[in-house]
Amino acid sequence: MIITSMTFIIALYIFMLAAFTGYVVISRVPSILHTPLMSGSNFIHGIVVVGALSALLSATTLAEQIIGFFGVLFGAGNVMGGYVVTDRMLAMFKPSATKPAKKSDEKSAS
Amino acid sequence: MNLLEYIVALSGLVASGLFIYGLKGMSSPVTAVKGIVIAGWGMAFVVVASFLQVFNLPEDVLPHLPVNLGLAVLALLLGGLWAGRKGRTVPMTAMPQMVALFNGMGGGSAAAVAAVALLHHAGGSALHLGVTVTGALIGCISLTGSLIAWAKLDGKMRNPIRFGGQKVFNLAIFLGTVVLGIMTVIAQMNGAPEGGLYALLFFAGALFFGLCMTVPIGGADMPVVISLYNAFTGLAVGLEGYVMADPALMIAGMVVGSAGTLLTVLMAKAMNRSITNVLFSNFGAASQQAKGPQGEMKSVDPADAATTMRYASSVIIIPGYGLAVAQAQQKLYEFVKLLQAAGVDVKFAIHPVAGRMPGHMNVLLAEAGVPYDMIYDMDDINDSFKSTDVALVIGANDVVNPSARTDKSSPIYGMPILNADQAHQVFVIKRGQGTGYSGVQNPLFFAKNCSMVFGDAQAVLSKMVEAVKALGTN
């Protein structure tokens, strides 16, 4: 990592801005999407797999390797599972506007 | 070499940007699919880029590199393939426990990152170690807590485990864990040999506390709990991001942490309860039984109820989790389409906590093909019940229980409910005469304008479909 040191104060700035971002991005979400949104945000915190990968790749002892392995294993599960279920759920949400469109398609086809 | 470093560092920046953009897209059904795909590309990019750091490792790691790389690829493949397969095959009804499980894995991963960081860097500042340990604590709680939530939602653990003095016991475990965490930090700073033992005990304590904290919470409260643990994992990831000096983890983790907190608060509000109340009160205790109104329930034949709805001008349907258990969403939508064809104005009313997770019912209806613009939130539709001919309640109970408005002794008192009882006629499709998930008796079922249609939702709806079809379309 090119970032070798970060003062805690800078970290606090990042945390604060990120927290506001999360709040603002989510605050107007309709409750109809709460489940996909929860699994979607679940997917996003799966980025921890990157941290676990760094930890595992720079491991020097057996204990580090074992714990790092499980870190990556769990992280990968979090990422993949979160993505797949979110994508599956979101693909099902359809407005009724598509129905008349389909009907007109059928009519024009026939 | 420097170029590689920049690529790795900037991949996190790109990913964070894509995550936030994707999450923003997820807040509307129109752009949601695109949103998750964008976030997915960000994730793929940053994961692949993180492998570039193998060219830039310190000397002492190089002998271990082949093993580390092999383990990393193996873990990615195993975890990814297993979860991908699970995620593709899980039925929509079982989605909440699946989300809980994936979330717990994220928490476990954050805890593992913390553990490796503690092992790897002897010494370090109190602040750095303190953040490491705090993230580990939160991650561990999220891991075991989510596992319990999964077991409860999956029906593997039916009853909340409660005993006298539980709160004191839990508090003692928590304080003990915190003390062990502080001892770990101090031992690490001084490079004391007993640091490893303290750390081991600390992790054991944190994992155990996650269990203790979650076992007394009733199944009905699990939606709030999963959402809370989702926020917890986000927070843990953010803190470990600081430990690893990786801003992408910090940003993504904290965004999820605050978004998850907001979702949790919204959800708790929908149940008119505070989060502390959910976590520390014994809601849904089995002792609250069969209190409340007694009397005769009127029952009606499915065909008669269907006929009434066919000639009504407006119908509001209130689906609950029972509908999904009976796998009757498809049948319901078939019935709804028949009603619509007959000119009936049909709407769906969804309570914020319908299903086993907020928004779960919307997903189940979407799966059956119900367009989302027919589905209304409680706040948008509650005033319409007064002017509605028929309210059809299917597999829902507590969310239409009027005693939440009036009966101060009721455990669900104060919870906002759907005003189904204000419709001119109420039909309730219900398997039997039992109480709801929370074990509370429902006076709506004894109301004058309410008729019960007893039976399995799937069977009842099939009969209703036939009855409406038999009436023709004039």
Side-chain angles (χ1 to χ4, degrees):
Chain A
M1 273 280 149
I2 193 161
I3 302 153
T4 47
S5 73
M6 188 189 313
T7 65
F8 193 66
I9 300 300
I10 293 178
L12 286 179
Y13 276 76
I14 295 179
F15 281 150
M16 182 201 68
L17 291 173
F20 272 109
T21 307
Y23 186 89
V24 171
V25 166
I26 298 302
S27 57
R28 278 195 219 120
V29 71
S31 60
I32 150 174
L33 283 176
H34 272 174
T35 292
L37 195 78
M38 205 194 290
S39 78
S41 59
N42 184 18
F43 157 71
I44 285 173
H45 68 50
I47 194 179
V48 67
V49 74
V50 170
L53 272 171
S54 305
L56 175 57
L57 288 175
S58 54
T60 47
T61 63
L62 183 64
E64 285 172 29
Q65 285 173 333
I66 292 171
I67 298 171
F69 174 80
F70 280 103
V72 176
L73 185 76
F74 286 170
N78 185 177
V79 167
M80 204 56 203
Y83 183 82
V84 169
V85 296
T86 310
D87 189 50
R88 248 183 88 195
M89 280 192 278
L90 288 175
M92 295 183 319
F93 282 90
K94 299 263 176 348
S96 53
T98 60
K99 276 199 315 183
K102 258 186 202 164
K103 268 178 199 163
S104 63
D105 283 351
E106 282 161 21
K107 269 176 201 164
S108 60
S110 65
Chain B
M1 277 308 160
N2 248 338
L3 183 65
L4 286 179
E5 283 185 334
Y6 271 106
I7 293 175
V8 174
L10 290 178
S11 71
L13 184 72
V14 173
S16 324
L18 292 178
F19 288 163
I20 294 169
Y21 186 67
L23 204 56
K24 179 75 196 147
M26 265 183 256
S27 59
S28 151
V30 184
T31 52
V33 177
K34 212 175 75 188
I36 182 72
V37 171
I38 288 169
W41 279 111
M43 188 69 80
F45 179 52
V46 73
V47 169
V48 171
S50 72
F51 273 93
L52 289 176
Q53 60 187 295
V54 299
F55 298 109
N56 221 357
L57 289 169
E59 286 291 311
D60 60 327
V61 180
L62 292 181
H64 304 277
L65 190 57
V67 179
N68 291 354
L69 259 179
L71 284 174
V73 172
L74 183 68
L76 275 181
L77 284 179
L78 279 180
L81 288 177
W82 175 82
R85 217 175 60 98
K86 274 276 176 201
R88 249 188 292 281
T89 51
V90 62
M92 285 297 154
T93 42
M95 199 52 88
Q97 50 264 49
M98 210 66 230
V99 172
L101 194 59
F102 293 147
N103 178 54
M105 293 173 84
S109 185
V113 170
V116 175
L118 284 175
L119 282 170
H120 201 73
H121 309 285
S125 72
L127 188 69
H128 196 264
L129 289 167
V131 173
T132 312
V133 169
T134 310
L137 175 63
I138 300 171
C140 285
I141 293 173
S142 181
L143 170 61
T144 48
S146 297
L147 283 177
I148 296 292
W150 167 77
K152 283 185 184 241
L153 288 164
D154 213 40
K156 292 189 166 51
M157 207 177 138
R158 294 218 172 269
N159 293 314
I161 299 170
R162 293 179 184 135
F163 52 86
Q166 192 165 20
K167 278 175 202 166
V168 179
F169 178 78
N170 285 0
L171 185 69
I173 299 279
F174 179 71
L175 290 179
T177 307
V178 170
V179 169
L180 279 167
I182 294 170
M183 284 162 72
T184 309
V185 169
I186 294 171
Q188 282 270 334
M189 280 169 70
N190 301 330
E194 64 269 25
L197 176 67
Y198 292 157
L200 203 63
L201 288 173
F202 162 72
F203 276 97
L207 290 169
F208 186 59
F209 177 71
L211 290 181
C212 294
M213 181 174 155
T214 321
V215 287
I217 303 173
D221 282 340
M222 278 306 133
V224 180
V225 173
I226 302 175
S227 177
L228 183 69
Y229 287 150
N230 192 32
F232 269 25
T233 304
L235 196 62
V237 171
L239 291 176
E240 296 314 325
Y242 170 73
V243 173
M244 306 292 289
D246 190 334
L249 261 71
M250 295 168 67
I251 293 173
M254 205 47 75
V255 163
V256 174
S258 80
T261 307
L262 178 63
L263 273 179
T264 313
V265 170
L266 286 178
M267 233 175 277
K269 236 186 226 163
M271 300 166 85
N272 195 32
R273 307 178 56 207
S274 68
I275 293 165
T276 40
N277 181 260
V278 169
L279 292 178
F280 302 116
S281 83
N282 294 346
F283 180 71
S287 57
Q288 306 273 3
Q289 259 187 12
K291 239 188 79 192
Q294 296 294 332
E296 281 297 299
M297 295 184 192
K298 289 188 296 292
S299 107
V300 65
D301 188 64
D304 293 343
T307 310
T308 309
M309 282 184 269
R310 159 73 176 73
Y311 291 106
S313 66
S314 54
V315 172
I316 297 180
I317 298 174
I318 300 159
Y321 189 66
L323 174 73
V325 172
Q327 294 290 318
Q329 305 98 297
Q330 304 277 353
K331 214 62 200 169
L332 174 64
Y333 189 43
E334 192 185 338
F335 177 61
V336 167
K337 279 190 280 194
L338 284 172
L339 290 181
Q340 281 180 318
V344 184
D345 174 31
V346 188
K347 289 175 181 151
F348 286 89
I350 308 261
H351 192 273
V353 295
R356 288 290 178 271
M357 188 172 178
H360 190 199
M361 209 60 235
N362 303 86
V363 173
L364 295 170
L365 289 177
E367 188 188 20
V370 179
Y372 60 75
D373 38 24
M374 279 178 73
I375 302 173
Y376 291 82
D377 287 347
M378 180 170 69
D379 293 338
D380 296 331
I381 205 165
N382 243 354
D383 293 332
S384 322
F385 279 103
K386 283 193 283 285
S387 51
T388 298
D389 293 335
V390 179
L392 175 64
V393 180
I394 307 174
N397 189 341
D398 296 331
V399 298
V400 291
N401 191 336
S403 56
R405 280 200 298 254
T406 52
D407 180 7
K408 283 206 167 111
S409 65
S410 170
I412 59 167
Y413 175 73
M415 180 173 96
I417 57 157
L418 287 161
N419 301 326
D421 55 329
Q422 293 175 356
H424 301 174
Q425 170 70 50
V426 183
F427 291 119
V428 179
I429 301 178
K430 204 168 173 302
R431 192 180 277 279
Q433 307 212 349
T435 55
Y437 202 52
S438 67
V440 186
Q441 189 59 271
N442 192 341
L444 171 69
F445 301 161
F446 307 99
K448 258 186 251 149
N449 61 341
C450 176
S451 300
M452 310 295 290
V453 188
F454 287 116
D456 174 70
Q458 172 92 30
V460 168
L461 284 164
S462 300
K463 280 182 201 151
M464 286 185 166
V465 167
E466 277 165 36
V468 173
K469 272 186 184 158
L471 287 168
T473 51
N474 50 343

